[in-house]
Amino acid sequence: MYNGVLALPVPEGTTIVGFADDLAVVVAAKHPEDVEVYATETVRAVKSWLEKAGLTLADAKTEAVLITKRRKNYTVKVEVGGHTLVSKPAIKYLGVIIDPKLSFREHLEYACQKAASATTALAKMLPNIGGPKHCRRLVLAGVVRSILLYSSPVWAEALANSQRRKQVNSVYRRMALRVCSAFRTTSDEAVLAVAGMIPVDILAKEMSVLYNARHMEGHAQRRNAARSESLDLWQRRWDESAKGRWTHRLIPNIRVWLERKHGDTNYHITQFLTGHGGCYRQYLHRFGLDDFPNCPRCDGIPEDPEHVMFHCPRFAMERRSLNQVLGRGGTPESLVNEMLESEEKWLAVSSAIIQMQEELLKEQRRRKAANRRSMSA
């Protein structure tokens, strides 16, 4: 019965659309005056049909927005049930905030605020040390992703604007930091790669492509093809970026990393993979937390993840034990691939990383204690 309202005769350029009990009258006309006439006539017809069907139009909840490319801000007036409705700067329909220029600025601000609140709530469940495993963190991240990407086929093109893209990425990044337990100083590029979270603007584009082809056959094949294109685009960005280059040496192939069959990242592994961690002197010195960036054993060589893991003589024993499991000496370019060969190798590398980082932290505590004694002497 309710479908009858959608088939009402309406003026040229006018369409009635509906979802459940939400109706929208869309009027396309050259002049604002024509919009007013056509909209008023159509609303009157809708209201009459509803009354005959024993239903009521919620006049007080009826809203209007004038979508136009003109620079001047116009308003239109529509007669609804005996009172005059003036168009607003923006309205919300089915959860999407529609503005006169279809910039979706207000909608993205609203979505980001909502997603940020969800991120803050979820962060309490996702401490850097301990807490759920990586795979479960990804599931929880899906909550934030769903909030951000709601109705993205409608507004995906809005992310071509750098400011809006930056706004959305900022919220998405906060969730990615929690997924892989990364330091806040880690670049967007590196944290998304380690977390295994496809950049949000690429996901929005993928969803838009799938939506536009929703009536075509072979949905599963199109979905796989769209995801493959998304990963290819992400890979090109990852290869061309100037940021996260240490992480890129370890994880050069995004697809291989995402499709791994085993291996959860954690606080310790992420510090190694990103180079951002409170146990490495080079990192601490960069942010003014240590007087020197270099290894205390190896003169003039920065104490960074590469030096500690592959070269420093302080960790020769851990390195020998690890190489026995790997079957050979690792390099930054080969280590992650070796970790992905088996769960045993992943755990061996993870154990070596934790042992080395714990020893570095012990050395830090000894240096701080020595500094305090020298200052008090």
Side-chain angles (χ1 to χ4, degrees):
M1 179 188 74
Y2 191 63
N3 288 338
V5 72
L6 304 179
L8 287 173
V10 293
E12 184 179 358
T14 304
T15 306
I16 301 175
V17 296
F19 181 83
D21 61 346
D22 284 310
L23 285 175
V25 174
V26 182
V27 179
K30 187 174 182 180
H31 304 290
E33 296 80 6
D34 295 334
V35 172
E36 293 179 339
V37 173
Y38 297 161
T40 297
E41 180 180 338
T42 304
V43 170
R44 188 180 298 119
V46 169
K47 187 175 179 65
S48 175
W49 186 94
L50 291 174
E51 290 175 350
K52 291 178 181 178
L55 302 172
T56 303
L57 178 66
D59 297 347
K61 293 183 179 180
T62 304
E63 298 178 306
V65 62
L66 178 64
I67 300 172
T68 176
K69 293 183 179 180
R70 298 180 183 181
R71 293 184 178 181
K72 183 178 179 180
N73 293 324
Y74 288 90
T75 59
V76 292
K77 298 179 180 179
V78 181
E79 298 297 324
V80 180
H83 72 276
T84 302
L85 174 69
V86 180
S87 60
K88 296 182 176 181
I91 64 171
K92 182 188 286 188
Y93 181 67
L94 299 180
V96 181
I97 299 177
I98 304 171
D99 61 273
K101 304 300 181 183
L102 293 182
S103 68
F104 296 101
R105 178 175 60 84
E106 291 87 350
H107 175 78
L108 291 177
E109 288 177 353
Y110 167 76
C112 286
Q113 291 174 1
K114 189 175 180 180
S117 297
T119 300
T120 300
L122 290 172
K124 299 175 182 178
M125 304 166 55
L126 304 173
N128 275 346
I129 301 177
K133 292 184 178 180
H134 177 82
C135 56
R136 294 179 181 176
R137 289 171 181 257
L138 276 176
V139 172
L140 293 174
V143 175
V144 175
R145 183 172 59 249
S146 296
I147 294 172
L148 285 175
L149 291 175
Y150 174 74
S151 71
S152 58
V154 176
W155 52 258
E157 293 183 1
L159 294 184
N161 181 289
S162 60
Q163 290 298 321
R164 296 187 188 104
R165 187 169 63 250
K166 182 178 180 181
Q167 182 181 30
V168 175
N169 286 342
S170 176
V171 179
Y172 194 62
R173 162 192 166 81
R174 285 178 55 194
M175 194 66 231
L177 290 171
R178 287 296 180 177
V179 168
C180 63
S181 304
F183 277 53
R184 289 181 295 174
T185 52
T186 309
S187 67
D188 292 359
E189 292 81 355
V191 74
L192 291 179
V194 175
M197 294 172 59
I198 301 175
V200 68
D201 63 306
I202 295 179
L203 283 177
K205 181 179 179 181
E206 176 184 314
M207 294 177 69
S208 180
V209 169
L210 290 174
Y211 179 81
N212 291 333
R214 64 191 182 281
H215 297 306
M216 299 172 61
E217 296 182 357
H219 179 70
Q221 292 85 345
R222 288 197 312 277
R223 185 172 62 248
N224 292 336
R227 176 50 53 91
S228 182
E229 290 180 7
S230 295
L231 293 179
D232 289 343
L233 175 56
W234 187 13
Q235 183 67 57
R236 289 195 296 273
R237 287 188 188 178
W238 183 226
D239 293 339
E240 296 168 1
S241 175
K243 297 182 179 180
R245 292 305 84 188
W246 164 247
T247 307
H248 186 274
R249 289 179 65 189
L250 295 163
I251 309 175
N253 192 311
I254 290 291
R255 191 186 299 268
V256 170
W257 177 252
L258 261 63
E259 295 176 353
R260 66 186 187 275
K261 303 301 182 182
H262 61 266
D264 284 329
T265 58
N266 56 41
Y267 179 66
H268 300 284
I269 292 178
T270 295
Q271 287 187 73
F272 170 72
L273 292 175
T274 61
H276 287 243
C279 56
Y280 301 111
R281 294 191 79 179
Q282 184 190 51
Y283 175 84
L284 294 171
H285 178 73
R286 176 183 171 187
F287 293 97
L289 301 175
D290 199 310
D291 294 333
F292 302 99
N294 293 337
C295 173
R297 177 75 67 86
C298 307
D299 188 38
I301 299 178
E303 185 183 87
D304 59 14
E306 180 176 5
H307 175 69
V308 170
M309 187 71 180
F310 299 102
H311 307 295
C312 186
R314 289 177 294 170
F315 304 104
M317 183 180 299
E318 290 85 352
R319 202 173 295 116
R320 281 195 298 271
S321 299
L322 176 60
N323 291 342
Q324 288 178 357
V325 178
L326 299 181
R328 57 180 175 176
T331 66
E333 289 72 20
S334 68
L335 185 63
V336 168
N337 285 334
E338 292 171 352
M339 293 170 68
L340 299 181
E341 289 178 1
S342 69
E343 189 168 2
E344 179 189 10
K345 291 184 177 181
W346 179 285
L347 294 175
V349 174
S350 175
S351 177
I353 290 172
I354 293 173
Q355 291 175 27
M356 294 176 183
Q357 290 182 359
E358 288 179 346
E359 184 57 36
L360 291 174
L361 291 174
K362 290 178 182 178
E363 291 183 2
Q364 283 183 34
R365 288 192 287 268
R366 287 194 290 268
R367 285 197 299 270
K368 289 180 180 179
N371 289 338
R372 285 195 295 268
R373 288 194 297 269
S374 63
M375 292 177 64
S376 61

